[in-house]
Amino acid sequence: IRKDFKSKWMDFTAKQVMSSVPMGFIWAAKSFPVFVKDKSILGTGETLVSLLGLFDTSEGHSNKINESALGRCLAELPLYPVAFLNKNISWSIVDDHSVKATITIEGTTVEGVFYFDHSGLIQRFESYRYRGENLEKFTGEMTEYKTLAGLYVPTKLRAIWNLKEGDLDYFK
């Protein structure tokens, strides 16, 4: 993971619990000495960053964080495919290789587009998410699908902020 163009890649370990009904996740990561918790539960998002797990260096609760966290839920649907059936998601066909998903939970609405390859596998997801205070274009790429626990899911992921100054890979 990395924060900006000048940053070096940082190794981290993380655990994530995802739910399809209700839609949400809790993600806890550490890259010593920094600990991060990110979550979306019932349309409410939260980001918490702490140093050594002892004191918070930043904390976030806002409509922007709610939207970004719910957007992450949409982007990660291919990791837990049963969530595609969530009743809070509406679908519309864009063209032969893409569909638009719109999700609304507790007054928070987010949308994004899933793009499929010629085999019918999801190859990328595009939406807008908040990066700090700015709404930015976001792309999630998915490759190298494998069967895990009986589900055919992507095992190689790449997250990209499509910024004015260029594409910033921030997760691989």
Side-chain angles (χ1 to χ4, degrees):
I1 198 162
R2 69 179 182 159
K3 291 174 50 175
D4 55 47
F5 290 104
K6 295 176 185 175
S7 297
K8 292 183 180 179
W9 285 97
M10 298 184 310
D11 289 332
F12 69 95
T13 58
K15 289 187 179 185
Q16 179 162 296
V17 176
M18 303 168 99
S19 172
S20 59
V21 179
M23 178 71 70
F25 70 90
I26 298 173
W27 183 76
K30 61 182 173 179
S31 180
F32 192 79
V34 177
F35 295 83
V36 180
K37 185 164 96 175
D38 196 13
K39 68 181 180 178
S40 178
I41 299 174
L42 297 174
T44 299
E46 178 183 77
T47 299
L48 183 65
V49 180
S50 66
L51 188 60
L52 298 171
L54 299 173
F55 57 92
D56 299 339
T57 58
S58 70
E59 184 175 349
H61 303 274
S62 69
N63 288 335
K64 291 177 182 179
I65 289 175
N66 293 347
E67 288 178 28
S68 287
L70 192 56
R72 178 175 170 176
C73 284
L74 268 186
E76 294 182 3
L77 287 179
L79 298 175
Y80 59 125
V82 69
F84 280 104
L85 302 175
N86 187 291
K87 65 179 178 151
N88 294 309
I89 304 172
S90 62
W91 300 93
S92 58
I93 296 171
V94 176
D95 59 33
D96 288 345
H97 294 284
S98 58
V99 294
K100 179 180 170 183
T102 303
I103 185 168
T104 301
I105 299 178
E106 299 293 327
T108 301
T109 300
V110 176
E111 60 186 32
V113 177
F114 288 93
Y115 294 87
F116 300 84
D117 66 15
H118 294 299
S119 301
L121 296 175
I122 297 171
Q123 135 186 96
R124 77 181 188 279
F125 171 80
E126 293 180 358
S127 68
Y128 286 86
R129 292 182 61 197
Y130 282 95
R131 184 169 186 259
E133 293 297 313
N134 300 320
L135 189 61
E136 303 284 358
K137 186 174 178 190
F138 164 85
T139 301
E141 293 181 350
M142 291 138 251
T143 58
E144 294 187 20
Y145 281 72
K146 293 182 183 174
T147 301
L148 300 172
L151 299 173
Y152 199 55
V153 296
T155 56
K156 190 171 181 181
L157 307 169
R158 184 173 158 223
I160 306 146
W161 287 110
N162 308 110
L163 306 172
K164 293 174 192 146
E165 55 271 21
D167 288 350
L168 170 64
D169 285 14
Y170 78 96
F171 175 88
K172 291 183 182 181

